[in-house]
Amino acid sequence: MTSREKASSNRRVKSSAEQLFQPIACPLCDAKSVTIVRKGRFPANVSEDFLRQTYRSSSDQGLFEQVVRCRRCQLVYLSPRLKPGLIIDAYAEGEDESFISQDPMRIRTFKTALQRFSKKYRLPFTKKTKLLDIGCAGGAFLRAARSLGLSTVGIEPNRWLSEYARKKHQLDVRAGVLSDYTFNDNEFDLITLWDVIEHVPSPESELKEIHRILKLGGYLLINYPDYQSLPARLLGKKWPFWLSVHLTYYTPATIRRHLEKRGFEVLSISPHWQTLELGYVLGRITPYFGAAKYLRRGAEKIGLATLPIKYWVGQTKVVAKKC
């Protein structure tokens, strides 16, 4: 391709991107002055079909959008960003058998986390303890919570996952996003977002609605990939949470600021260790570390692919309380 052809191609990519993407103000403080953290590098194909595949909630598509930091509050986020309607539509699509294969491992992690939470904050788990899990995927957390005696409701944008949770595990899981439903004021004792807040197009609106439907003194539990964590800093561009589906990159300071702005008291911020099978973890990191595929093959040959491993690459858990 000649330099003239390359220039023409770049203009077409830019023109296509401009039609589908839009610059946004800071999701936390609404400021517009930013510093570029990572420049965007759009692939040649930025058609709507390509983006629908990219923005599936379980997508492993590496980040190609521009990442910016707000000069006023220091929040890190994507801008320009795909229009919200297209993001939500894309989340609704796709199937992921590999993801739900790890549900037994996730349930183990979730049960331990819930039991420690109940003991530390003295929240009894009974049928009267009402839980809402936003972005519940195939219902692993809801199954863990149900086994401990809670009354559970879930919301999941992906149609396939929400149907799987309802039909396979008889869970009350509603397809869509939080804004699709009208819950009562002060309805829930506990609301959770596991690996969800970074996907939400408007975390400000989400937190505002959560505050309304959570009981006074009720708890909010959020898990997110910490942009400032040691693994993120050590791995740099190979940090596996640099994904196009992650729209906002919080740190302990910015997540605290956002929660306090919306009327929550932050009680704790701590690393969240997860347990998954060795083969699955090696498969997920292969796009970042090519040698992982050989390790996975070796693990499969010697029967260690299903070995449970506990790991941490920056996932961070926040417990907050409605004031």
Side-chain angles (χ1 to χ4, degrees):
M1 183 182 290
T2 67
S3 58
R4 180 175 294 180
E5 289 171 332
K6 286 181 180 178
S8 176
S9 176
N10 289 337
R11 284 195 296 271
R12 287 195 300 271
V13 169
K14 184 178 180 181
S15 176
S16 178
E18 286 173 346
Q19 293 174 21
L20 297 167
F21 287 73
Q22 60 187 18
I24 64 165
C26 175
L28 172 52
C29 73
D30 210 35
K32 295 182 179 178
S33 179
V34 298
T35 300
I36 295 175
V37 175
R38 288 182 58 162
K39 291 184 178 181
R41 293 189 177 183
F42 284 85
N45 179 11
V46 286
S47 67
E48 192 167 325
D49 287 342
F50 167 79
L51 292 169
R52 285 182 181 277
Q53 288 296 316
T54 296
Y55 280 83
R56 288 183 298 108
S57 56
S58 61
S59 172
D60 286 330
Q61 170 66 50
L63 184 66
F64 57 76
E65 295 89 341
Q66 178 172 271
V67 182
V68 300
R69 179 187 292 108
C70 175
R71 290 181 177 174
R72 181 191 292 171
C73 73
Q74 305 304 306
L75 183 70
V76 174
Y77 60 98
L78 301 190
S79 182
R81 197 180 70 191
L82 190 64
K83 295 178 180 180
L86 290 174
I87 293 173
I88 298 302
D89 286 349
Y91 283 173
E93 299 175 0
E95 301 179 9
D96 198 338
E97 293 278 0
S98 176
F99 181 85
I100 62 173
S101 74
Q102 296 301 296
D103 278 359
M105 296 291 102
R106 293 190 178 95
I107 291 170
R108 176 190 299 191
T109 300
F110 287 143
K111 283 188 73 171
T112 299
L114 274 170
Q115 288 166 334
R116 289 176 179 171
F117 169 83
S118 177
K119 183 178 180 180
K120 182 174 181 178
Y121 296 103
R122 298 180 182 177
L123 179 66
F125 289 162
T126 70
K127 283 293 181 183
K128 293 183 179 181
T129 309
K130 197 166 182 182
L131 160 74
L132 172 65
D133 187 26
I134 299 171
C136 65
F141 178 72
L142 294 175
R143 290 166 63 191
R146 185 174 62 182
S147 73
L148 295 174
L150 287 85
S151 175
T152 64
V153 180
I155 298 175
E156 170 52 45
N158 182 274
R159 288 187 289 266
W160 183 80
L161 284 171
S162 60
E163 184 177 5
Y164 167 83
R166 287 192 301 273
K167 291 186 175 180
K168 179 71 175 179
H169 299 293
Q170 294 74 54
L171 293 163
D172 181 359
V173 171
R174 299 150 194 212
V177 294
L178 181 59
S179 60
D180 293 332
Y181 298 92
T182 303
F183 294 104
N184 296 325
D185 291 355
N186 310 304
E187 184 168 347
F188 296 98
D189 300 281
L190 174 63
I191 296 178
T192 54
L193 296 92
W194 295 96
D195 301 311
V196 168
I197 193 73
E198 63 273 17
H199 294 262
V200 175
S202 177
E204 173 73 5
S205 300
E206 197 89 353
L207 291 173
K208 183 179 180 180
E209 178 65 2
I210 287 169
H211 190 272
R212 182 186 71 80
I213 64 179
L214 187 63
K215 291 179 181 178
L216 183 63
Y219 293 93
L220 172 63
L221 199 159
I222 294 175
N223 182 54
Y224 73 95
D226 181 3
Y227 164 74
Q228 214 173 53
S229 65
L230 181 60
R233 286 179 280 141
L234 289 176
L235 293 172
K237 291 184 178 180
K238 288 186 176 291
W239 188 43
F241 290 116
W242 284 122
L243 298 173
S244 286
V245 290
H246 291 172
L247 311 178
T248 308
Y249 291 88
Y250 283 105
T251 67
T254 53
I255 193 75
R256 180 185 294 275
R257 192 174 296 128
H258 212 160
L259 288 169
E260 289 176 348
K261 176 187 176 184
R262 291 268 43 107
F264 295 95
E265 176 190 359
V266 175
L267 303 178
S268 69
I269 301 178
S270 59
H272 176 68
W273 290 78
Q274 189 166 351
T275 300
L276 294 173
E277 292 178 355
L278 175 61
Y280 180 81
V281 173
L282 291 173
R284 292 297 295 269
I285 67 172
T286 293
Y288 309 94
F289 303 96
K293 69 179 178 181
Y294 302 108
L295 294 174
R296 184 183 185 184
R297 290 174 188 169
E300 289 171 347
K301 284 182 179 180
I302 61 176
L304 293 179
T306 58
L307 179 72
I309 64 163
K310 195 173 182 179
Y311 71 97
W312 179 65
V313 286
Q315 305 100 314
T316 299
K317 181 173 64 181
V318 183
V319 178
K321 193 173 186 178
K322 176 178 173 178
C323 301

